[in-house]
Amino acid sequence: MDTYAVIFTSQRSDKDAAGYEKMAEAMEEAAKKQPGFLHMESVRGPDGFGITISYWHSLDAIKEWKQHTQHLSAQKAGKEKWYSDYKVEICKIEKEYSMEKE
């Protein structure tokens, strides 16, 4: 089965931090309920630069998530107040490996 990653990099503005945190939590919960969602990882530095990577089973699942009603609302608010800039990249995972220490 194929796996795709959506890499969302962003620079946060200093507007409405509380509203942003609330929406970010809601988006993660909504994404987890979407068909084709696998998992998500997110970090943000003290300078406001952040990287969120979400993993999906298909390009169709990604397209459905992009058009999700609540996600559309979050996208609009992000453009209007939460981000000074952002970039989205969609990649197909060709190979994966890891190491875990006990």
Side-chain angles (χ1 to χ4, degrees):
M1 181 177 296
D2 290 335
T3 300
Y4 294 86
V6 177
I7 305 168
F8 178 72
T9 55
S10 62
Q11 183 64 51
R12 279 272 292 118
S13 71
D14 58 359
K15 299 177 185 171
D16 189 25
Y20 174 80
E21 291 301 324
K22 184 176 178 182
M23 183 63 83
E25 289 174 14
M27 286 300 91
E28 185 170 355
E29 289 307 309
K32 287 178 180 178
K33 296 175 184 172
Q34 283 293 114
F37 175 82
L38 297 171
H39 64 99
M40 178 183 295
E41 300 169 6
S42 188
V43 295
R44 186 163 304 277
D47 63 351
F49 181 77
I51 302 170
T52 298
I53 306 173
S54 58
Y55 297 88
W56 302 84
H57 278 304
S58 69
L59 291 173
D60 287 337
I62 294 168
K63 185 193 292 188
E64 290 295 320
W65 172 238
K66 183 170 175 29
Q67 297 304 316
H68 184 279
T69 304
Q70 192 177 10
H71 191 208
L72 288 170
S73 178
Q75 291 172 51
K76 183 175 188 292
K79 291 174 186 175
E80 292 174 356
K81 60 183 173 181
W82 290 325
Y83 301 119
S84 57
D85 62 67
Y86 68 86
K87 179 170 71 170
V88 177
E89 299 171 290
I90 300 173
C91 310
K92 183 176 181 184
I93 305 297
E94 295 292 335
K95 184 176 183 178
E96 177 184 343
Y97 56 92
S98 62
M99 181 188 91
E100 294 181 30
K101 290 189 175 186
E102 293 182 39

